[in-house]
Amino acid sequence: MKTINYFGDSRYEKIWEQMQLLGIQDVSSRTQERNGTIVWRLPILSDKKNTYMEYASFASGYVRNQGVDCHSNWQINKRVMSDYEYYPDYVWCDKTQKSIKTGKFNRFRSKKSVPIPIEIDRLEYMMKYVIKNEFIKRANYVQEGKFVPKWKYDMAKESEQFSKKRATEYMDKFASVAPEMPDEVTVIINGHKYKVI
């Protein structure tokens, strides 16, 4: 784990302090460090796999989730609409068996990720993103009832198993003692006799 780069600059020291408070570890390998990549391991287990979630900051200016929950990593950089791009319009010509230009153009616009060129800015952006989207979002799971702490789940499971066991014992105990129910039941109300089926 590298710690040298985090000391000497107040912005880096603040990031390091936040990492220590939240239990986030810098797990960058030497090769990643040489390439200008910083990888952070969060103290949060993935929903789909039994591994810890990781985020990385790349020298190219992009910040990515390292793809623990899915088949590939994705960029968390801000996305903005790109400028319009124009492509020539084609139509199929049966005579020549080729597509030919019509003289018109199709306009196309998409979203693109905005790179963050300065490393400390990337780290601060990543820290804000992780706190908002991983720590706070998962903390709200408890209030919304989507998440139950493990100890509470274990207690509920034991209690459920205990009550099922007690119910079975109760039924077994009194099944042989319970009297047989009659086939017909008659009720007399105001002198009239009624048969209950």
Side-chain angles (χ1 to χ4, degrees):
M1 181 188 311
K2 69 176 181 181
T3 56
I4 298 168
N5 291 349
Y6 291 103
F7 298 107
D9 184 355
S10 62
R11 289 173 72 189
Y12 279 102
E13 288 175 1
K14 186 176 179 183
I15 292 291
W16 178 254
E17 180 184 357
Q18 290 172 351
M19 286 173 56
Q20 295 304 305
L21 287 172
L22 295 172
I24 299 173
Q25 298 175 358
D26 182 349
V27 292
S28 309
S29 67
R30 290 180 188 227
T31 306
Q32 289 170 330
E33 286 178 18
R34 279 193 300 258
N35 293 336
T37 303
I38 299 174
V39 181
W40 287 358
R41 179 172 291 150
L42 307 182
I44 299 171
L45 281 174
S46 165
D47 293 336
K48 298 179 182 168
K49 298 179 182 175
N50 199 19
T51 55
Y52 289 100
M53 300 183 75
E54 293 181 353
Y55 281 81
S57 166
F58 295 88
S60 60
Y62 294 101
V63 182
R64 295 185 179 131
N65 178 310
Q66 286 300 89
V68 174
D69 276 344
C70 62
H71 65 281
S72 65
N73 47 2
W74 68 88
Q75 296 173 0
I76 62 172
N77 292 52
K78 290 182 183 177
R79 297 181 64 80
V80 296
M81 292 303 290
S82 66
D83 294 333
Y84 285 106
E85 297 176 30
Y86 296 90
Y87 299 98
D89 188 33
Y90 290 91
V91 353
W92 182 255
C93 178
D94 290 330
K95 195 182 236 183
T96 61
Q97 294 295 313
K98 293 183 181 179
S99 294
I100 58 171
K101 292 182 182 179
T102 62
K104 296 179 182 177
F105 286 88
N106 295 319
R107 187 168 73 168
F108 177 75
R109 193 174 186 194
S110 65
K111 285 190 172 184
K112 66 176 184 176
S113 297
V114 178
I116 306 168
I118 302 170
E119 181 185 34
I120 186 63
D121 293 339
R122 283 194 306 273
L123 295 178
E124 287 175 342
Y125 178 79
M126 184 166 54
M127 181 58 84
K128 288 176 187 174
Y129 181 91
V130 164
I131 289 171
K132 178 184 174 192
N133 293 296
E134 298 299 344
F135 285 93
I136 293 175
K137 182 174 84 173
R138 291 174 193 276
N140 289 336
Y141 282 176
V142 176
Q143 288 179 336
E144 295 167 1
K146 296 178 184 175
F147 173 79
V148 178
K150 186 173 180 347
W151 64 269
K152 201 171 192 178
Y153 170 77
D154 290 341
M155 284 182 63
K157 190 174 179 183
E158 287 174 9
S159 169
E160 182 182 323
Q161 288 174 349
F162 178 74
S163 50
K164 279 183 184 177
K165 184 178 176 187
R166 292 274 312 255
T168 339
E169 288 173 357
Y170 181 80
M171 293 302 287
D172 291 343
K173 181 178 179 181
F174 293 105
S176 58
V177 180
E180 297 234 358
M181 297 300 289
D183 293 337
E184 294 181 5
V185 175
T186 55
V187 178
I188 301 173
I189 300 174
N190 293 336
H192 297 307
K193 194 174 191 180
Y194 296 97
K195 188 187 270 186
V196 180
I197 300 175

